[in-house]
Amino acid sequence: MSTRRVVGRADAASAAEHAGAHLDLVGAPFTLPRSRILILRDGDRLRVHTSEYERSLAECVAMDALEMCDAAGVTMPVTRVLPHAIEFGESVTLTFAGPSAWSVGVGSGDRALVRWTRRAGEEPEELPIGGRHPASVMFRLDRSREVEFTRSDDHAEHLEATRQVWLDWFATCPIVRPGLQDMAAFCWWVLGANIVELPQLGDARAVVPSKIGYVGLWQWDAYFIAVGLRHGDPELAREQLDLALRFPTAEGQLPDVVHEEGVLASSDDLPAADRETLRRAGSAVADPSAPVPLTKPPLAAWALRKVLEADRDASADWARRMIATIRRSQDWWFTHSDLDGDGLPEYGHPYSSGLDDSPVFDGPLPTTTPDLAAYLIRQDLELAALVERWGAEPEPAAGRAAAASAHRERARRTLECLLTLWDEPSGRFRSLAAGAPIESDTIVGLMPLLTGELPETVVDVLVAALDDPDRFATPWPIPTVAVGDPDHTPQRMWRGPVWVNTNALIVEGLERSGHSDRARRLAERTVELVMHAGGPHEYFDPYTGERAASATTAFGWSAALFIDLAVALSHDA
């Protein structure tokens, strides 16, 4: 059982100020936990957006321009941003007034002018505040993105209430070693900022990958995010797993996404225009007219074990429910996703891999990959240990040993299948496209380290690949496609950039495979990467260490796994 160390109320304000230093209103918006409002900078003006599933920021403009002016009408620049307030000049501040409204106010005795344009091209509206007028104005946003405003004298109360929301959040920020604490505070802000409510699920809180572009609870992201949250807010971590596992199909398959309008579990859950592009075109074994199941890699038991290690308040009943759902999901992979019947499940569509754009999916489908085999082995081994510790429905306590043994036996059989993908001459695990070998040299070939069960000779070759400049030894490791592969493209998603989640999995794989020192070096280099790039971006250039041009900023799993790696490195120091 791990011991959590968090900032606490006394130092929450300091953590908030450290996080605020990173809030540029471009890559990091002004927002509030549970709110769908985003406020971003456009020069000296602001723009207000809503955060919605599968809609771009450009589609979700609630206020095209918002600016603060002095009494003479001259625009005032942003002078400082804190998690709870944007400051303009010496006396004007903007803060939230609950999740669906914001407030602009001036200090006692001061005057200012608030100017805004609801839609591009419209004439701006103006409202003086202070002096003989009320000291603030509150803007409220409805579900159709319409904005109403009212004069108010409650700005100070809104400012303090918003400050307390963030102080409560930062009081749970994990404590890490001094050189990492500043970025840990920003990453903790990212996780709090990315909390949204899912109205159809009551008061459910989903920590989304990003309010700027990924507004839903993706299954894979939920696992990584929960692993980071467990160090400061294990209840919220538990809630992410509960949401990800709440909607299995009748066969046990877990959905790809839980979002504000429902779930995405197959191509039939997509708009009609998108469905045909997601059929299994070119598959030699699947029905191209059938719906495509869409899910994510099986890391649920891996995440559950980590959350339970940190969460003393998790009930046995909750743990057993989670275990039962994961066991059914694991069975689904072997029963419904072993499309060629060889004992080794395949990805029926790239979406289910999490690495959609990887060159291993450039050929016909289904695709057999070593990473899926490794995840399935890891999941069966995790399930064996979880069943022994917690039990599982519907087996009585007396059946725990038999259930655990069955999981370990399936892991053994899957490992035998995985090893058939090992190609000794090339020193790599190969993927198969509809049964034919794929030449691509990608990060999926390193994931078998995660099993902790590979022959030592195979482990040695994979570790050597990490230090080979023609394969994975870039200045900032680990590229998702090897340097010598013709598809290596350092700025293109999953075709060369570095991702924090794949690095974190390989850190654990190295540890499990007997290379603890090598694991620590990679963990150190990964947290250095996030700090060097200025934040937890979606993915990074392996040569410059900067955010790739098309990568999303303030990205949830990068923030969560920075926290997880930083905590481990700090405890090991």
Side-chain angles (χ1 to χ4, degrees), residues 58-91:
E59 296 175 279
C60 299
V61 177
M63 186 175 279
D64 184 66
L66 174 64
E67 54 188 317
M68 312 307 148
C69 307
D70 62 20
V74 178
T75 300
M76 304 171 68
V78 172
T79 52
R80 188 168 71 146
V81 182
L82 292 168
H84 74 285
I86 303 175
E87 298 178 355
F88 308 83
E90 296 181 358
S91 65

XYZ file of all heavy atoms in Angstrom, residues 58-91:
244
model
N -13.483 26.473 -33.016
C -14.088 27.416 -33.951
C -15.599 27.231 -34.044
O -16.335 28.183 -34.330
C -13.464 27.248 -35.333
N -16.073 26.022 -33.801
C -17.512 25.759 -33.832
C -18.202 26.139 -32.528
O -19.436 26.128 -32.468
C -17.765 24.272 -34.095
C -17.286 23.755 -35.437
C -17.488 22.258 -35.532
O -16.641 21.513 -34.992
O -18.501 21.832 -36.131
N -17.421 26.430 -31.513
C -17.982 26.612 -30.169
C -17.649 27.983 -29.589
O -17.291 28.110 -28.421
C -17.464 25.508 -29.242
S -17.918 23.842 -29.761
N -17.764 29.020 -30.414
C -17.483 30.372 -29.949
C -18.728 30.924 -29.267
O -19.804 31.000 -29.868
C -17.064 31.284 -31.110
C -16.852 32.718 -30.611
C -15.795 30.761 -31.768
N -18.592 31.299 -28.007
C -19.697 31.899 -27.269
C -19.601 33.416 -27.252
O -20.614 34.111 -27.167
C -19.717 31.375 -25.835
N -18.375 33.930 -27.321
C -18.165 35.378 -27.366
C -16.904 35.603 -28.195
O -15.816 35.145 -27.825
C -18.023 35.947 -25.955
C -17.946 37.455 -25.901
S -17.936 38.075 -24.184
C -19.688 38.007 -23.790
N -17.046 36.280 -29.322
C -15.926 36.407 -30.246
C -14.816 37.283 -29.703
O -13.639 37.048 -29.969
C -16.417 36.964 -31.582
C -15.311 37.023 -32.614
O -14.830 35.939 -33.015
O -14.909 38.131 -33.008
N -15.175 38.294 -28.945
C -14.150 39.180 -28.383
C -14.633 39.744 -27.063
O -15.794 40.125 -26.920
C -13.824 40.315 -29.348
N -13.716 39.777 -26.108
C -13.985 40.344 -24.786
C -12.740 41.108 -24.374
O -11.642 40.529 -24.343
C -14.294 39.229 -23.781
C -14.464 39.619 -22.316
C -15.674 40.535 -22.134
C -14.605 38.366 -21.450
N -12.886 42.391 -24.113
C -11.714 43.171 -23.724
C -12.044 44.099 -22.569
O -13.177 44.530 -22.385
C -11.143 43.957 -24.911
C -12.129 44.834 -25.625
C -11.540 45.431 -26.903
O -10.373 45.871 -26.878
O -12.253 45.463 -27.919
N -11.024 44.371 -21.780
C -11.130 45.281 -20.645
C -10.449 46.594 -21.038
O -9.321 46.584 -21.554
C -10.441 44.700 -19.413
C -10.798 43.256 -19.117
S -12.552 42.937 -19.018
C -12.600 41.257 -19.649
N -11.143 47.664 -20.786
C -10.616 48.973 -21.164
C -10.581 49.881 -19.933
O -11.357 49.701 -18.980
C -11.499 49.628 -22.233
S -11.799 48.574 -23.675
N -9.684 50.846 -19.980
C -9.684 51.814 -18.895
C -10.829 52.799 -19.085
O -11.613 52.686 -20.045
C -8.330 52.522 -18.792
C -7.964 53.332 -20.030
O -8.886 53.666 -20.820
O -6.771 53.634 -20.211
N -10.965 53.756 -18.196
C -12.104 54.670 -18.245
C -12.147 55.473 -19.537
O -13.214 55.931 -19.961
C -12.067 55.605 -17.039
N -10.990 55.612 -20.213
C -10.935 56.346 -21.472
C -11.207 55.460 -22.683
O -11.192 55.935 -23.821
C -9.576 57.016 -21.618
N -11.429 54.159 -22.434
C -11.728 53.249 -23.536
C -10.520 52.585 -24.161
O -10.639 51.903 -25.186
N -9.338 52.739 -23.570
C -8.108 52.132 -24.094
C -7.988 50.706 -23.564
O -8.119 50.463 -22.354
C -6.878 52.954 -23.682
C -5.600 52.273 -24.186
C -6.992 54.367 -24.221
N -7.746 49.768 -24.474
C -7.672 48.356 -24.098
C -6.559 48.116 -23.092
O -5.424 48.591 -23.265
C -7.442 47.477 -25.333
O -8.537 47.664 -26.231
C -7.351 46.005 -24.951
N -6.859 47.367 -22.059
C -5.882 47.023 -21.024
C -5.343 45.618 -21.304
O -6.115 44.676 -21.536
C -6.537 47.058 -19.632
C -7.178 48.377 -19.294
S -8.153 48.284 -17.759
C -6.851 48.061 -16.549
N -4.028 45.428 -21.286
C -3.471 44.097 -21.531
C -3.615 43.189 -20.310
O -3.777 43.664 -19.174
C -1.994 44.401 -21.800
C -1.724 45.640 -21.008
C -2.986 46.447 -21.059
N -3.547 41.898 -20.557
C -3.470 40.930 -19.462
C -2.120 41.084 -18.783
O -1.074 41.091 -19.443
C -3.630 39.493 -19.992
C -3.365 38.473 -18.889
C -5.022 39.289 -20.589
N -2.120 41.253 -17.479
C -0.865 41.424 -16.754
C -0.455 40.180 -15.967
O 0.725 39.975 -15.705
C -0.964 42.613 -15.789
O -2.134 42.476 -14.974
C -1.047 43.924 -16.564
N -1.429 39.356 -15.582
C -1.092 38.125 -14.864
C -2.286 37.183 -14.937
O -3.436 37.621 -14.991
C -0.755 38.426 -13.398
C -0.200 37.194 -12.657
C 0.401 37.544 -11.306
N -0.589 37.925 -10.329
C -0.483 37.653 -9.010
N 0.576 37.005 -8.539
N -1.412 38.050 -8.163
N -1.959 35.879 -14.940
C -3.003 34.861 -14.901
C -2.729 33.935 -13.728
O -1.612 33.435 -13.562
C -3.057 34.042 -16.209
C -4.198 33.025 -16.145
C -3.226 34.947 -17.430
N -3.715 33.743 -12.907
C -3.685 32.750 -11.834
C -4.803 31.750 -12.113
O -5.710 32.041 -12.907
C -3.898 33.427 -10.482
C -2.771 34.345 -10.022
C -3.226 35.169 -8.822
C -1.520 33.542 -9.687
N -4.773 30.586 -11.508
C -5.855 29.637 -11.780
C -7.248 30.208 -11.534
O -8.201 29.836 -12.216
C -5.537 28.486 -10.830
C -4.053 28.508 -10.704
C -3.710 29.978 -10.693
N -7.371 31.154 -10.575
C -8.709 31.652 -10.233
C -9.035 33.010 -10.834
O -10.169 33.488 -10.700
C -8.876 31.739 -8.715
C -8.132 32.873 -8.080
N -6.765 32.860 -7.895
C -8.576 34.074 -7.591
C -6.397 33.981 -7.315
N -7.476 34.740 -7.115
N -8.071 33.678 -11.500
C -8.332 35.042 -11.973
C -7.389 35.426 -13.099
O -6.218 35.015 -13.130
C -8.194 36.039 -10.822
N -7.918 36.234 -14.014
C -7.099 36.923 -15.009
C -7.049 38.386 -14.572
O -8.099 39.004 -14.312
C -7.706 36.824 -16.425
C -7.901 35.359 -16.832
C -6.807 37.530 -17.438
C -8.619 35.198 -18.172
N -5.859 38.942 -14.498
C -5.694 40.324 -14.049
C -5.342 41.227 -15.221
O -4.555 40.853 -16.101
C -4.597 40.389 -12.981
C -4.918 39.572 -11.737
C -3.809 39.602 -10.704
O -2.733 40.185 -10.995
O -4.004 39.051 -9.599
N -5.923 42.421 -15.225
C -5.680 43.429 -16.255
C -5.285 44.717 -15.537
O -6.017 45.196 -14.651
C -6.941 43.686 -17.084
C -7.582 42.462 -17.665
C -8.440 41.681 -16.900
C -7.334 42.095 -18.984
C -9.045 40.567 -17.429
C -7.936 40.972 -19.522
C -8.788 40.192 -18.749
N -4.157 45.301 -15.925
C -3.722 46.523 -15.257
C -3.587 46.286 -13.762
O -3.137 45.227 -13.313
N -3.987 47.258 -12.970
C -3.800 47.165 -11.524
C -5.071 46.813 -10.755
O -5.002 46.471 -9.580
C -3.247 48.494 -10.992
C -1.858 48.828 -11.530
C -1.329 50.128 -10.956
O -2.070 50.769 -10.184
O -0.183 50.492 -11.269
N -6.249 46.891 -11.427
C -7.453 46.744 -10.611
C -8.568 45.914 -11.227
O -9.562 45.646 -10.555
C -8.022 48.133 -10.267
O -8.453 48.797 -11.440
